[in-house]
Amino acid sequence: MTDSDGRPHQGPAGSDGEPVYADRVYRSVPGVISGVLLLAVAAWLIGDAALNGTGKTPWVSLAAVPVFALPVIAYTLRPAVRANERRLVVRNPLRTITAPWAAVDALRAGYSVELLAEGRKFQVWAVPVSLRQRKRAARAQDRAGRPQHTSRLGLMFGQGNAPAGPGVQGSADPTRAWSDQVVGILQEMAERNASRPEAAGPIEVRWCWWIIAPTLAGLVALIAVIAS
């Protein structure tokens, strides 16, 4: 949640007297749109098969619902990143990683965005890397007449001379790919908040059983219906 000037919405003061801000949330809009479209098409096809199919077709279509719908939800609608002054929460398709800022070693963007914490590495699904965006950002830097002291490969990995700061929340920087902007914001938050007492603690990794278990059960049911 942000104010009209692009800054995070300021809430009441915390126990240390400093203002408390709402969580910053990042997710892939194209991923969400594709997930909604896939679910809509699947609902139409499965509904038609269940209502108008003959023989085992209605039962097969119904058994296929969790096998198809839940993975689509997991990989398109579920991924998100939430960050506040205490911790970073990375919601991936099948796992949720909760990392207090003191446990975060670094965030980096190569061919994918990665979270390094306590010697472990986690992919951040909600912030996909687009090489096309990076090339477009490199061209924008060229048009802006900024000095280029890095190779084209470095620009592709977000290592050009564009400002490394987090920028303004909610604003777009045409000289940096979206994934690199998000990584810059999160890295700056990690460095700023790591020393907070409330930002200490171990990372927590939780499996998303509400997706895993019904999908496996649906797969067993689908196999049983087809084989019967």
Side-chain angles (χ1 to χ4, degrees):
M1 186 174 180
T2 59
D3 293 328
S4 58
D5 59 357
R7 293 177 297 180
H9 176 72
Q10 181 174 320
S15 59
D16 57 359
E18 295 187 5
V20 177
Y21 295 98
D23 289 3
R24 293 184 176 185
V25 181
Y26 301 97
R27 59 177 5 119
S28 171
V29 175
V32 172
I33 293 174
S34 64
V36 171
L37 292 177
L38 282 172
L39 290 175
V41 171
W44 174 57
L45 294 176
I46 292 175
D48 180 70
L51 294 175
N52 302 319
T54 59
K56 294 190 297 183
T57 300
W59 301 108
V60 171
S61 62
L62 292 176
V65 170
V67 178
F68 179 82
L70 290 178
V72 169
I73 292 172
Y75 284 89
T76 61
L77 305 183
R78 174 177 155 79
V81 172
R82 303 181 68 93
N84 57 33
E85 63 181 9
R86 296 183 294 109
R87 64 187 182 179
L88 174 69
V89 179
V90 177
R91 202 168 66 188
N92 282 341
L94 301 180
R95 294 191 299 179
T96 298
I97 301 97
T98 302
W101 289 119
V104 174
D105 299 323
L107 288 115
R108 65 187 184 190
Y111 286 109
S112 63
V113 173
E114 296 174 338
L115 165 66
L116 306 179
E118 294 184 346
R120 303 170 67 181
K121 181 171 67 175
F122 305 94
Q123 278 196 318
V124 181
W125 282 76
V127 188
V129 170
S130 170
L131 296 182
R132 178 178 297 179
Q133 285 187 7
R134 284 180 172 165
K135 292 178 180 179
R136 188 182 303 124
R139 291 195 296 268
Q141 288 188 35
D142 290 338
R143 288 194 298 270
R146 298 187 180 185
Q148 301 295 317
H149 300 299
T150 56
S151 65
R152 182 169 296 277
L153 181 62
L155 289 171
M156 290 176 63
F157 282 86
Q159 298 170 353
N161 290 327
V168 178
Q169 173 75 356
S171 66
D173 181 356
T175 64
R176 300 181 72 199
W178 177 73
S179 58
D180 298 324
Q181 294 184 56
V182 173
V183 168
I185 292 171
L186 297 178
Q187 185 64 46
E188 192 272 341
M189 292 182 69
E191 295 170 358
R192 185 177 68 246
N193 296 310
S195 59
R196 288 178 175 269
E198 63 269 27
I203 63 172
E204 298 179 2
V205 180
R206 300 189 307 275
W207 288 94
C208 186
W209 291 109
W210 69 268
I211 287 179
I212 298 174
T215 301
L216 293 177
L219 181 60
V220 171
L222 179 62
I223 294 173
V225 170
I226 293 175
S228 64

